[in-house]
């Protein structure tokens, strides 16, 4: 399995680096930063959607699958990015949004104009159901003036595609092949476990409709078809499916190599441990016991059944993990390294989200005017409608908004954090003077710690390939696990709190080699004390 020692870095192109002074990041900006990425040591960069799009959902509303949005650059520049990245030993992963298209896509426009062929590309019904859109409100909208409705599980401008129609599948497989021909070696499939909907769609008051379209058996079939028709022919290609409200049983099936579906899956359960009663737009401290239980369940089950996780703390939909899981005022640096170790030494492929490698934190915006994201704006209105005070509603948006991750990459302490000479499309965070790449490379230690983790994964098969077992699963503050491969063992201990924590080490690890540690020269004794947010990997 060639991909197991690789590390993937996610870039939100709009916010990486703007080279032509329009306030929006571009492909030329990514090309410029290839040496930085090579220095970090990552194998592949995943770009969020770069296709033409009305940007109602920041590019996840695609209006043309096989072109480049001029705001990012030209197709020639895109090809040159692939080529130059390759010269730096880096491959490119594209975001494939195959569950829905923008209503500005020509397929939807032709459907609206009355073309029957294209009407069958969408999910159009005479009656609605009570399904809820993931961005708020009902999931059905009037289909022109036909008296019918089309399904949109996301924004009203994102119409769900009808995968039951073989012509739709063929169109989408052509899209994948188009990008394969350009030399793309990775695909991230957006909400891919939602593509298979029931044939007869029914209301389901208990669950917003989720069981009617999530992880349906037919989705596994569609993935096998896509695998066979496209990326299955190239063993170098890495695929990752983004799975919404999924189960470990399904993710095992999506990723077992002999099933020929996907290389790995993202799930989000571990990032819902700070939701009150499962609801995102709430603000409560994270539940450590639940976080640990999830890591152990997914770690063990995937390990025992040859499944493969994609692990991440941050992405473009999540507030910064440092603000969620760490006392960031006092332990930003220790915490950043501990979180990194917890996934980079784990079984599965680690993803780094731009800025994580320099310990970026939430922007701490001071007003709703700073927010751009459609989901955040809708949520603020809904919170007010629920009777929350404007202060409380703002506080919740401030801690949960997806814009927390989407602010411009902080390169320097200069104007606009060195991201752009013009006003950025989304404001720069308030901490760019203290937290930026230039300063980090000069005097910081987080970037160097990531470099080391990436190197270790390549040097030690126990990290890339080893099995996973829980260690001290009942501990109140330590998340621990053991990796094992060909007689080698790695014990990883992560203290998730600002207080020191005691651990009893099994005899076999006493005196073991400290492979990595975010504190200096720890001695490995049997009564072991972990410092605040300490993380240590002990090899025997
Ligand atoms: O997100 C999938 C998804 O399930 C989202 O609802 C996610 O849980 C939410 O953004 C968290 O607040 C993917 C993309 O990552 C996201 O950016 C897109 O908006 C969405 O699909 C629609 O394409
Ligand atoms: Ca630009």
């Amino acid at each position: 399995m060639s991909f197991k020692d690789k590390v993937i870095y996610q870039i939100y192109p709009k916010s990486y680096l703007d080279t032509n002074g329009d306030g929006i990041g571009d492909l030329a900006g990514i090309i410029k930063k290839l040496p930085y990425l090579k220095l970090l040591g990552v194998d592949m960069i995943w770009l969020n959607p770069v296709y033409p799009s009305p940007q109602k959902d920041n590019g996840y509303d695609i209006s043309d699958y096989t072109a480049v949005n001029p705001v990012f650059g030209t197709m020639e520049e895109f090809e040159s990015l692939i080529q130059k990245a390759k010269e730096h030993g880096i491959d490119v992963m594209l975001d494939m949004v195959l569950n829905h298209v923008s209503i500005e896509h020509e397929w939807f426009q032709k459907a609206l104009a009355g073309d029957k062929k294209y009407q069958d590309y969408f999910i159009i019904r005479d009656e609605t159901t009570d399904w809820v859109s993931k961005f708020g409100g009902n999931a059905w909208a009037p289909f022109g003036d036909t008296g019918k409705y089309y399904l949109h599980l996301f924004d009203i401008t994102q119409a769900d595609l009808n995968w039951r129609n073989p012509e739709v599948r063929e169109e989408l497989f052509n899209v994948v092949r188009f990008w394969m021909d350009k030399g793309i070696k990775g695909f991230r499939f957006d909400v891919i476990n939602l593509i298979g909907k029931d044939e007869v769609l029914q209301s389901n008051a208990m669950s917003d409709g989720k069981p009617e379209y999530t992880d349906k058996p037919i989705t596994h079939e569609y993935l096998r078809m896509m695998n066979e028709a496209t990326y299955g022919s190239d063993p170098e290609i890495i695929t990752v499916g983004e799975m919404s409200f999924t189960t470990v049983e399904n993710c095992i099936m999506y990723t077992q190599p002999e099933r020929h579906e996907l290389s790995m899956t993202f799930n989000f359960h571990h990032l819902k441990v700070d939701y009150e009663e499962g609801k995102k737009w709430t603000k409560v401290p994270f539940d450590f016991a639940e976080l640990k239980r999830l890591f152990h369940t997914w770690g063990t089950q995937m390990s025992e059944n040859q499944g493969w996780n994609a692990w991440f703390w941050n992405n473009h939909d999540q507030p910064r993990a440092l603000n969620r899981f760490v006392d960031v005022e006092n332990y930003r640096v220790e915490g950043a390294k501990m979180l990194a170790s917890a996934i980079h030494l784990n079984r599965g492929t680690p993803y780094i989200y731009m800025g994580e490698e320099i310990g970026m934190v939430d922007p701490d915006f001071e007003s709703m005017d700073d927010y751009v994201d459609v989901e955040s704006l809708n949520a603020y209105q809904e919170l007010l409608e629920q009777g929350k005070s404007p202060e409380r509603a703002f506080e919740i948006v401030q801690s949960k908004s997806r814009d927390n991750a989407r602010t411009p990459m902080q390169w320097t302490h200069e104007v606009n954090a060195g991201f752009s000479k013009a006003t950025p499309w989304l404001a720069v965070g308030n901490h760019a003077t203290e937290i930026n790449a230039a300063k980090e490379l000069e005097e910081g230690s987080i970037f160097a710690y990531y470099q080391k983790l990436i190197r270790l994964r390549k040097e030690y098969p126990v990290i890339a390939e080893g099995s996973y077992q829980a260690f001290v699963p009942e501990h109140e503050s330590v998340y621990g696990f053991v990796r094992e491969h060909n007689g080698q063992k790695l014990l990883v201990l992560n203290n998730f709190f600002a207080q020191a924590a005691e651990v009893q080490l099994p005899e076999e690890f006493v005196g073991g080699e400290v492979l990595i540690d975010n504190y200096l020269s720890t001695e490995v004794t049997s009564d072991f004390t972990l410092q605040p947010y300490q993380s240590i990997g002990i090899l025997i």
Side-chain angles (χ1 to χ4, degrees), residues 78 107 147 154 180 217 233 305 322 350 371 382 415 424 437 460 513:
F78 184 80
W107 300 339
F154 293 88
M180 279 169 64
S233 63
N305 296 286
L322 276 174
Y371 292 91
E382 281 185 17
V415 69
Y460 290 86
E513 178 193 348

Side-chain angles (χ1 to χ4, degrees), residues 394-414:
F394 178 68
E395 208 189 327
I396 296 174
V397 170
Q398 202 189 34
S399 72
K400 289 297 169 78
S401 172
R402 305 194 294 183
D403 284 339
N404 281 315
R406 299 177 179 185
T407 58
M409 175 70 186
Q410 293 162 198
W411 292 110
T412 68
H413 67 271
E414 287 147 352

Side-chain angles (χ1 to χ4, degrees), residues 384-448:
L384 293 182
E385 282 159 25
Q386 285 164 22
K388 296 264 184 319
S389 68
E391 294 72 32
R392 183 64 185 160
F394 178 68
E395 208 189 327
I396 296 174
V397 170
Q398 202 189 34
S399 72
K400 289 297 169 78
S401 172
R402 305 194 294 183
D403 284 339
N404 281 315
R406 299 177 179 185
T407 58
M409 175 70 186
Q410 293 162 198
W411 292 110
T412 68
H413 67 271
E414 287 147 352
V415 69
N416 300 325
F419 160 74
S420 173
K421 295 207 158 46
T423 307
W425 70 279
L426 178 67
V428 170
N430 284 336
H431 307 280
T433 329
E434 320 97 78
I435 307 173
N436 59 69
K439 186 162 183 236
E440 175 65 29
L441 288 175
E442 207 158 292
E443 60 193 52
S445 57
I446 302 174
F447 189 92

Side-chain angles (χ1 to χ4, degrees), residues 57 60 100 135 188 190-191 242 280 316-317 375 402:
D57 183 23
Y60 283 90
H100 45 261
F135 293 163
R188 179 261 189 197
D190 190 58
V191 292
E242 187 210 24
K280 169 170 175 171
H316 63 292
D317 291 334
E375 190 202 35
R402 305 194 294 183

Side-chain angles (χ1 to χ4, degrees), residues 292-309:
K292 203 161 38 116
R293 193 190 65 75
L294 286 163
F295 266 112
H296 286 325
T297 308
W298 283 78
T300 320
Q301 301 264 327
M302 294 295 251
S303 174
E304 287 170 1
N305 296 286
Q306 294 79 49
W308 197 253
N309 281 310

